[in-house]
Amino acid sequence: MKKAQKFGVLNVKTVPHSPAMYVGLFQEARRRRFTAQYRGNRSAMIGSFAAVDDSDKVVGFAGDLHVYTDFNMNKPWFDRDAIKETPSKEVRNLPQHLRPEHEGVRFAFFPQRHRLVFDAGALSPRSAQRAFALVLTKAAPLVGIKEVEGVVQQ
């Protein structure tokens, strides 16, 4: 038996707004690799964002939101075998750019109606709302947008 796919829908609102401004907002957030902590030590960033039809740059876009655990690698670690704290300098060979517990969340964005549809099996609607709003808010001033809000539709 096939497992049902779950989708969530966000209404992405900006002030001011136009389809071109929405596209610019997502492109800038992706290009600058903005990240945001949306819950505890969980962070997100937009990894890809591309038009589904090269001949029509506002019909729709597909992308990936990458969520992962972000933490301070310089803080002490816990050794479960020895049941004690281990200084971070004893934990070696962990590249600073890698983060654990990655989950890729596919999404589609339709700028004419400013609706974002995402894989709700990978990320809850409230977490998606917060993650997208925080990441996009960082890019907003760079494209002339004063305010970004995500409203859960479904």
Side-chain angles (χ1 to χ4, degrees), residues 16-27:
H17 70 270
S18 72
M21 290 183 95
Y22 283 114
V23 172
L25 177 65
F26 277 86
Q27 288 173 332

Side-chain angles (χ1 to χ4, degrees), residues 8-33:
V9 180
L10 299 178
N11 179 359
V12 179
K13 298 180 185 179
T14 66
V15 176
H17 70 270
S18 72
M21 290 183 95
Y22 283 114
V23 172
L25 177 65
F26 277 86
Q27 288 173 332
E28 194 66 20
R30 185 207 54 79
R31 186 178 75 76
R32 294 197 182 235
R33 297 181 178 191

Side-chain angles (χ1 to χ4, degrees), residues 19 23 51-62 108-113 115:
V23 172
V52 294
D53 181 355
D54 285 334
S55 66
D56 188 345
K57 296 288 188 185
V58 294
V59 68
F61 291 79
F109 181 67
F110 304 95
Q112 298 281 8
R113 305 211 13 101
R115 294 299 190 274

Side-chain angles (χ1 to χ4, degrees), residues 68-128:
Y68 53 90
T69 298
D70 203 4
F71 59 94
N72 184 343
M73 294 171 72
N74 296 318
K75 282 191 169 185
W77 291 66
F78 180 70
D79 182 333
R80 293 187 328 174
D81 291 341
I83 311 175
K84 67 175 190 161
E85 185 177 286
T86 300
S88 61
K89 65 184 175 192
E90 290 185 25
V91 180
R92 295 186 177 93
N93 301 324
L94 288 177
Q96 293 289 321
H97 65 280
L98 297 180
R99 293 295 182 265
E101 299 184 87
H102 171 262
E103 185 105 31
V105 181
R106 297 284 300 152
F107 70 88
F109 181 67
F110 304 95
Q112 298 281 8
R113 305 211 13 101
H114 41 89
R115 294 299 190 274
L116 187 143
V117 179
F118 64 95
D119 178 359
L123 191 62
S124 76
R126 294 285 177 223
S127 289

Side-chain angles (χ1 to χ4, degrees), residues 118-137:
F118 64 95
D119 178 359
L123 191 62
S124 76
R126 294 285 177 223
S127 289
Q129 172 191 30
R130 187 150 167 77
F132 277 105
L134 289 170
V135 169
L136 295 174
T137 294

